[in-house]
């Protein structure tokens, strides 16, 4: 009798230990998944990795994400809740029917009811035909939870589903499995909500800009009448539109964000905004945020008190104080660190700050004009740029056109740079007609800055007073853009400009889209991805062969180092130190 009681206690303790171990694995899995969603530009793209984490930690295998199809998609006319497979934990053919990876009846029930579904034996409850072909032969439990619309919580826009084989011997862990899947679904909902909000705000900014241009066009006629600003050369439609926007917003105190490729003249347009504003008689102060470290940038913008740090021998006013009543130009604002973004946000919101090493709060009245050549929306999605700071500086975005989109402005700009060269060097160099024709055919990936370099180089190296077409750098094989255009690929546009666009010096080219990879898989054959579900003996053997170096063992097993770490943790294998 006593032996029976002892065995009962031992079994209870063993059960509690196993339960605690499963809870730890579940917590670790949710933690890893949350980290992945936090840094993913597109949450749907990393869902296969998320499903593999569930498989590695909790044996929830063959995961599938089904999302509601767009209305009018090829899902059958009149179909109720037409859906498509958005992601799987295994390779599958794009043309394979959804029923081969997920039970259709299970998906329909979750779409209609909006509540999680658990089936302890899929074949017994829904019939053998409901079990995907690759899973037949072994009893399967299925777990499915709804993905809700972040804006309308009652609306189900997708279903997250996973299977557990009866051979795993853990089919009784239902509550924990549903809780984990529900948490993963909630994380995915929030990630989708953030991505949708960024896209909506970007679309709103573009729409407002178009509406502003349209109102100017309607007021002046069908085509905007050219408006000129001192220092800006050109009368092409592209530059005329930008000048009209500058005139429109200059009278306001609204922050302006100048966007465009490097070399398009962002500082010149920033000065134009200031000059056309009521603040024109006040200071225009500029700072290049990319040229200074975080510490120096803080001192430059906010100033410092005497003795604030080593070398601070006197009080120094910052750029915000110097620009009080005027305009502060923050060039390359996309390069500042996340830590300094927080400090800058407070000044932009409250209009007050303290000098480095000081305690007195200083209030200023400054109009902010910022500039960047980076895709700030992508930086926000990647977590590199604060969304609240983005909304603070990007009130009125003005996109500066690259020089290749304003071809008619190349000749007057080239003449302007040639005149400047002659004035500064006391020369009288002129361009022959064929030289001008050659220059006007160029695309200038480096924009106005590259054009100025081209003109100055040709004038300096000319043997006489007339520069001929054959004397230009591009005709002698010494043009930097010509060299880079032969070496660049889709991921390295010239000078980091025009991301996603390969620019020829003379002809604008857009790289052809890559053909989607064709999986070498026979119909009906779906090879699984390698995950941390590796046998303990195989894992130990690989680690022994790799000298207990996880990265080397990962290459031997065809896995990632993270998956190897998961597997070691799952099997309780202690890493040996050699």
């Amino acid at each position: 009798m006593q032996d029976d009681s002892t065995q009962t206690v031992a079994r209870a303790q063993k059960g509690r230990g196993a339960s605690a171990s499963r809870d730890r694995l579940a917590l670790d899995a949710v933690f890893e998944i949350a980290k992945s969603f936090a840094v993913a530009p597109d949450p749907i793209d990393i869902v296969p990795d998320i499903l593999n984490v569930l498989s590695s930690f909790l044996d929830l295998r063959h995961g599938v994400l089904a999302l509601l199809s767009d209305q009018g998609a090829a899902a059958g006319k009149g179909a109720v809740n037409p859906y498509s497979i958005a992601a799987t934990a295994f390779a599958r053919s794009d043309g394979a029917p959804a029923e081969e990876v997920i039970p259709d009846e299970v998906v329909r029930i979750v779409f209609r009811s909006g509540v999680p579904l658990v089936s302890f034996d899929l074949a017994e409850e829904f019939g053998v035909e409901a079990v995907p072909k690759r899973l037949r032969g072994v009893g399967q439990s299925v777990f499915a939870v709804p993905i809700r619309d972040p804006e309308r919580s009652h609306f189900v826009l997708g279903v997250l589903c996973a299977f557990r084989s009866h051979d795993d011997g853990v089919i009784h862990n239902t509550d924990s499995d549903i809780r984990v899947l529900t948490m993963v679904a909630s994380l995915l909902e929030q990630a989708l909500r953030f991505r949708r909000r960024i896209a909506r705000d970007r679309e709103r900014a573009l729409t407002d800009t178009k509406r502003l241009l349209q109102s100017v066009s309607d007021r002046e006629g069908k085509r905007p009448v050219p408006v000129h600003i001192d220092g800006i050369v050109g009368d092409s439609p592209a530059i005329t539109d930008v000048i009209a926007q500058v005139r429109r917003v200059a009278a306001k105190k609204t922050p302006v964000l100048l966007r465009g490729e490097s070399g398009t003249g962002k500082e010149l347009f920033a000065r134009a905004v200031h000059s056309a504003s009521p603040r024109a008689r006040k200071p225009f102060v500029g700072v290049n945020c990319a040229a200074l470290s975080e510490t120096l940038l803080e001192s430059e913008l906010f100033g410092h008190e005497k003795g604030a740090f080593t070398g601070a021998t006197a009080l120094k006013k910052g750029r915000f104080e110097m620009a009080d009543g005027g305009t502060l130009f923050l060039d390359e604002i996309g390069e500042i660190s996340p830590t300094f973004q927080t400090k800058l946000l407070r000044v932009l919101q409250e209009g007050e700050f303290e000098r480095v090493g000081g305690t007195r709060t200083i209030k200023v009245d400054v109009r902010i004009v910022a500039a960047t050549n980076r895709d700030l929306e992508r930086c926000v999605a990647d977590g590199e740029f604060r969304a609240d700071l983005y909304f603070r500086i990007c009130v009125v975005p003005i996109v500066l056109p690259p020089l290749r989109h304003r071809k008619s402005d190349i000749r007057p700009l080239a003449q302007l740079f040639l005149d400047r060269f002659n004035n500064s060097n006391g020369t009288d160099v002129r361009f022959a007609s064929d030289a001008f024709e050659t220059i006007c055919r160029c695309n200038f990936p480096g924009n106005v800055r590259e054009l100025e370099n081209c003109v100055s180089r040709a004038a300096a190296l000319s043997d006489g007073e007339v520069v001929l077409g054959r004397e230009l750098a591009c005709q002698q094989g010494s043009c930097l853009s010509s060299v880079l255009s032969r070496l660049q690929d889709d991921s390295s546009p010239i000078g980091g400009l025009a991301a996603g666009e390969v620019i020829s010096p003379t002809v604008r080219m857009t790289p052809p889209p890559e053909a989607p990879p064709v999986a070498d898989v026979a119909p009906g054959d779906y090879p699984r991805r390698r995950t941390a579900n590796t046998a303990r003996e195989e894992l130990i053997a690989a680690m022994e062969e790799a000298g207990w170096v996880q990265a080397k063992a990962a290459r031997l097993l065809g896995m990632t180092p993270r998956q190897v770490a998961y597997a070691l943790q799952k099997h309780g294998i202690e890493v040996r130190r050699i």
Side-chain angles (χ1 to χ4, degrees):
M1 190 71 174
Q2 186 175 359
D3 291 342
D4 292 343
S5 177
T6 302
Q7 292 176 1
T8 301
V9 172
R11 283 196 299 269
Q13 292 176 344
K14 182 178 180 180
R16 285 195 295 270
S19 177
S21 176
R22 285 196 301 272
D23 289 342
R24 285 195 300 271
L25 285 174
L27 184 61
D28 290 342
V30 173
F31 177 67
E32 291 295 331
I33 291 170
K35 288 196 300 183
S36 299
F37 276 134
V39 299
D42 189 341
I44 299 299
D45 288 345
I46 66 163
V47 168
D49 297 329
I50 300 305
L51 297 175
N52 276 326
V53 171
L54 293 174
S55 176
S56 300
F57 278 89
L58 304 174
D59 293 314
L60 288 171
R61 303 176 182 176
H62 309 286
V64 179
L65 173 63
L67 292 179
L68 206 60
S69 300
D70 294 333
Q71 296 298 325
K77 292 185 177 180
V80 178
N81 294 329
Y83 64 89
S84 59
I85 304 301
T88 61
F90 47 88
R92 64 181 289 266
S93 172
D94 290 338
E99 292 80 1
E100 292 190 9
V101 297
I102 190 170
D104 181 70
E105 191 170 351
V106 169
V107 178
R108 300 291 181 193
I109 290 175
V110 177
F111 267 123
R112 287 196 303 266
S113 65
V115 297
L117 180 146
V118 178
S119 175
F120 293 102
D121 193 323
L122 182 60
E124 180 179 345
E125 188 169 349
F126 293 95
V128 177
E129 294 300 322
V131 182
K133 292 180 180 179
R134 71 186 189 286
L135 302 180
R136 294 176 185 175
V138 177
Q140 299 287 340
S141 298
V142 66
F143 307 87
V145 297
I147 306 292
R148 299 186 181 279
D149 189 318
E151 307 293 339
R152 298 173 293 170
S153 60
H154 66 281
F155 182 72
V156 178
L157 58 81
V159 176
L160 182 64
C161 178
F163 298 83
R164 186 189 295 285
S165 171
H166 291 179
D167 285 350
D168 291 340
V170 286
I171 61 173
H172 57 280
N173 197 23
T174 304
D175 292 342
S176 175
D177 293 334
I178 284 294
R179 282 199 304 270
V180 170
L181 281 179
T182 301
M183 284 189 282
V184 173
S186 179
L187 291 171
L188 178 57
E189 290 167 3
Q190 295 307 314
L192 289 173
R193 179 182 183 183
F194 183 73
R195 185 184 67 167
R196 182 181 298 179
R197 181 174 296 175
I198 291 295
R200 186 168 57 240
D201 289 334
R202 183 176 187 176
E203 184 64 28
R204 184 185 298 124
L206 292 175
T207 301
D208 291 344
T209 303
K210 290 179 181 178
R211 187 181 297 116
L212 178 63
L213 289 174
Q214 186 62 44
S215 64
V216 174
S217 178
D218 292 343
R219 184 173 303 158
E220 303 295 341
K222 292 300 182 182
R223 186 171 180 268
V225 176
V227 180
H228 297 283
I229 293 180
D230 292 341
I232 297 177
V233 176
D235 57 3
S236 65
I239 205 66
T240 299
D241 289 344
V242 172
I243 293 174
Q245 293 181 65
V246 169
R247 286 287 192 191
R248 182 91 173 178
V249 304
K252 315 298 190 303
K253 187 183 175 180
T254 309
V256 175
L257 178 63
L258 300 173
R259 315 190 65 164
E261 300 173 15
S262 181
T264 50
K266 289 186 282 292
E267 183 171 357
L268 183 62
F269 280 93
R271 290 184 179 276
V273 171
H274 173 72
S275 300
S277 72
R279 299 169 176 260
R281 296 183 180 275
K282 296 293 185 176
F284 174 87
V285 180
V287 60
N288 189 327
C289 299
L292 301 172
S293 66
E294 181 179 326
T295 304
L296 289 177
L297 185 59
E298 183 176 4
S299 176
E300 280 295 316
L301 288 179
F302 305 147
H304 62 253
E305 299 286 350
K306 180 179 179 180
F309 49 82
T310 302
T313 58
L315 181 147
K316 175 185 176 181
K317 288 186 177 182
R319 303 293 176 96
F320 272 98
E321 284 185 82
M322 295 166 60
D324 191 17
T327 303
L328 178 62
F329 175 51
L330 300 175
D331 197 11
E332 303 293 352
I333 195 170
E335 306 299 329
I336 61 178
S337 68
T339 302
F340 190 73
Q341 290 172 27
T342 305
K343 299 177 181 178
L344 181 60
L345 178 64
R346 175 176 176 258
V347 184
L348 300 186
Q349 285 178 335
E350 308 297 337
E352 58 185 34
F353 62 93
E354 295 83 33
R355 297 193 190 105
V356 177
T359 57
R360 184 170 67 90
T361 300
I362 302 171
K363 291 190 69 69
V364 291
D365 175 23
V366 174
R367 200 257 182 90
I368 297 295
V369 178
T372 184
N373 62 358
R374 300 188 67 186
D375 184 352
L376 287 187
E377 289 78 13
R378 173 60 61 182
C379 293
V380 171
D382 291 346
E384 299 173 3
F385 200 85
R386 291 179 62 104
D388 43 9
L389 180 58
Y390 168 85
F391 295 130
R392 180 63 59 178
I393 64 174
C394 191
V395 179
V396 178
I398 298 179
V399 180
L400 305 185
L403 194 54
R404 61 186 176 277
H405 293 170
R406 40 183 293 215
K407 289 277 193 174
S408 61
D409 295 336
I410 293 179
R411 188 181 183 100
L413 282 169
Q415 186 62 57
L416 173 67
F417 296 140
L418 183 60
D419 293 341
R420 287 182 182 174
F421 177 87
N422 287 330
N423 291 335
S424 62
N425 292 280
T427 58
D428 189 23
V429 179
R430 303 187 308 276
F431 275 8
S433 58
D434 65 331
F436 267 125
E437 291 174 2
T438 301
I439 289 176
C440 291
R441 286 198 302 268
C442 292
N443 275 327
F444 292 106
N447 296 297
V448 179
R449 186 181 293 121
E450 183 183 356
L451 173 60
E452 183 176 11
N453 175 278
C454 175
V455 171
S456 299
R457 175 192 177 100
L461 297 179
S462 176
D463 293 330
E465 292 187 351
V466 179
V467 178
L468 303 177
R470 64 173 181 270
E471 294 178 325
L472 296 176
C474 58
Q475 303 301 310
Q476 298 179 353
S478 57
C479 174
L480 176 62
S481 292
S482 296
V483 175
L484 291 180
S485 70
R486 295 194 297 269
L487 301 177
Q488 69 176 326
D489 56 27
D490 295 359
S491 60
S492 59
I494 294 177
L497 310 178
E501 179 183 353
V502 178
I503 308 166
S504 165
T506 55
V507 180
R508 184 182 181 195
M509 300 184 299
T510 301
E514 294 184 0
V518 180
D520 186 16
V521 181
D525 184 16
Y526 303 102
R528 292 170 50 195
R529 295 188 182 191
R530 291 300 297 269
T531 69
N533 291 313
T534 304
R536 179 185 177 90
E537 295 74 15
E538 182 183 359
L539 184 61
I540 293 176
M543 291 294 291
E544 291 281 2
E545 184 177 350
W548 290 89
V549 178
Q550 295 183 32
K552 188 180 295 184
R555 290 194 294 270
L556 295 174
L557 293 169
M559 299 163 62
T560 66
R562 177 176 288 187
Q563 289 175 326
V564 170
Y566 293 162
L568 291 171
Q569 181 182 3
K570 176 181 176 182
H571 292 299
I573 300 174
E574 183 179 357
V575 178
R576 301 176 189 175
R577 305 295 179 186
I578 299 178

